[in-house]
Amino acid sequence: MMTLREKHQQGKFTITVELDPPKSSSAQKVFDQAARLKGKVDAINIADSPMSKMRMSPISLSYLLQHNKDIETIFHLTCRDRNIIGLQSELLGAAALGVNNILTLTGDKPDNGDHPFAQSVFEVDCMGLLNIAKTLNSGKDLAGNDLDEPTNFYIGATGNPGAPDLEIERQKLAAKIKNGAHFVQTQPIYDLEQAKRYIDKMSEFDVPIMLGLIPLKSFKMATYLHEKVPGINLTQEILDRVEKGGKEAGTEIAIETLEQIKKIAAGVHIMPLNDIDTTLHIIDHV
């Protein structure tokens, strides 16, 4: 079977789905979700204590999914919880487990998580983490010491099609690529014209871009994303459709959006908020 990296190299359209690790010592819930997605998606993203809510290690869970369920994964790694020694140690452990796809993130502060008293680290941000993974791939550690064996990470970075200034966003992506990024997964898009402008702006870079997609479940969710989440912009047409049709309209919009994403991007990154039924329905109808 081809890896995600090989599929991107051959220009194949790829589908990834993001799952949250459990707040448990058992991975069974995610095993069950992943089993339903197997054969439908190219890889499963595993978040790193998303929204600063403590969860199972994404590296451990990614290994379990690959080893026990034969499903390729992309583990998220944030700079919130580890200094540069800890980040390098985690990455070497992931490499030893054969978990080689990574999405690099700065991470959320713990303030609004389930451990608001926890201390942040943030010794580096996502740019620094990209450089760490790139350096380990070269066979060195950050101090310039040789590794006995280099890593082989396929390194992902985030993008934001809804950024207010696409030229600044282009500069950010250029810096991320310089620091080691191989592919991009973006914030969810709802304005297709905006997404096309983003893809056109980034076309100078030879990296696959996977546009983000979150199916809308309600008008309340739609207005929250539009008004409260920076970088997410919904058109008035979409807001009106979801206000009238609710989750059914949100699912129809996701199907229509995915059909258009297939025409302009290297892939789609679906963030289903653990709604596997809707995710499968969307994939099966495109």
Side-chain angles (χ1 to χ4, degrees):
M1 293 179 62
M2 284 194 297
T3 63
L4 180 68
R5 186 193 316 234
E6 290 167 341
K7 290 173 183 176
H8 282 165
Q9 288 172 343
Q10 294 191 17
K12 295 183 179 294
F13 186 85
T14 53
I15 300 174
T16 57
V17 172
E18 184 170 317
L19 298 179
D20 291 340
K23 195 180 185 73
S24 171
S25 62
S26 169
Q28 191 58 52
K29 178 181 178 181
V30 180
F31 282 176
D32 293 343
Q33 293 175 321
R36 298 182 64 197
L37 293 168
K38 185 173 181 179
K40 303 282 188 178
V41 304
D42 298 286
I44 292 176
N45 281 58
I46 301 296
D48 183 8
S49 291
M51 306 300 290
S52 291
K53 296 180 179 178
M54 190 277 293
R55 295 290 186 268
M56 180 184 287
S57 159
I59 294 173
S60 299
L61 183 53
S62 293
Y63 167 74
L64 290 171
L65 284 170
Q66 292 191 171
H67 183 71
N68 296 324
K69 300 298 179 180
D70 195 28
I71 300 172
E72 191 170 5
T73 58
I74 303 169
F75 73 92
H76 294 193
L77 190 63
T78 72
C79 306
R80 175 189 56 231
D81 309 315
R82 311 159 184 89
N83 66 11
I84 58 174
I85 295 175
L87 289 168
Q88 290 178 96
S89 176
E90 291 277 45
L91 287 169
L92 290 179
L97 293 171
V99 183
N100 291 316
N101 301 323
I102 175 177
L103 186 69
T104 54
L105 301 155
T106 298
D108 303 305
K109 294 181 179 179
D111 304 28
N112 297 317
D114 57 2
H115 288 64
F117 48 84
Q119 297 296 308
S120 302
V121 179
F122 296 118
E123 186 172 2
V124 294
D125 60 9
C126 63
M127 291 291 186
L129 180 52
L130 282 164
N131 184 58
I132 289 172
K134 177 184 178 182
T135 301
L136 296 178
N137 274 358
S138 76
K140 300 280 188 179
D141 68 13
L142 274 190
N145 302 305
D146 291 331
L147 302 178
D148 289 340
E149 186 171 334
T151 58
N152 186 33
F153 290 114
Y154 188 45
I155 307 168
T158 58
N160 183 6
D165 189 329
L166 282 184
E167 174 55 27
I168 292 176
E169 188 67 14
R170 188 197 67 79
Q171 293 171 16
K172 287 181 179 179
L173 182 54
K176 289 179 179 180
I177 293 169
K178 183 178 179 180
N179 278 284
H182 298 134
F183 70 96
V184 176
Q185 292 181 317
T186 79
Q187 287 264 59
I189 59 108
Y190 296 98
D191 185 333
L192 284 166
E193 291 305 313
Q194 187 180 65
K196 290 174 184 176
R197 288 194 295 272
Y198 174 82
I199 293 293
D200 289 343
K201 190 75 173 178
M202 308 305 158
S203 62
E204 68 181 90
F205 304 119
D206 187 24
V207 294
I209 296 176
M210 305 183 72
L211 292 174
L213 181 65
I214 297 181
L216 298 168
K217 297 182 179 183
S218 66
F219 181 63
K220 180 180 179 181
M221 175 184 176
T223 53
Y224 176 84
L225 291 173
H226 181 62
E227 296 174 359
K228 302 294 185 182
V229 182
I232 299 181
N233 305 298
L234 279 69
T235 63
Q236 189 60 49
E237 178 191 2
I238 286 178
L239 289 169
D240 291 343
R241 285 178 64 182
V242 177
E243 183 176 23
K244 182 178 180 181
K247 182 178 180 179
E248 183 178 347
T251 302
E252 291 173 355
I253 291 165
I255 291 171
E256 294 165 9
T257 303
L258 179 51
E259 287 174 340
Q260 294 303 310
I261 288 175
K262 290 187 73 173
K263 298 177 182 178
I264 63 173
V268 64
H269 176 51
I270 303 174
M271 294 159 270
L273 308 179
N274 295 310
D275 186 348
I276 304 303
D277 287 337
T278 298
T279 301
L280 291 171
H281 177 79
I282 293 166
I283 293 171
D284 288 341
H285 280 75
V286 176

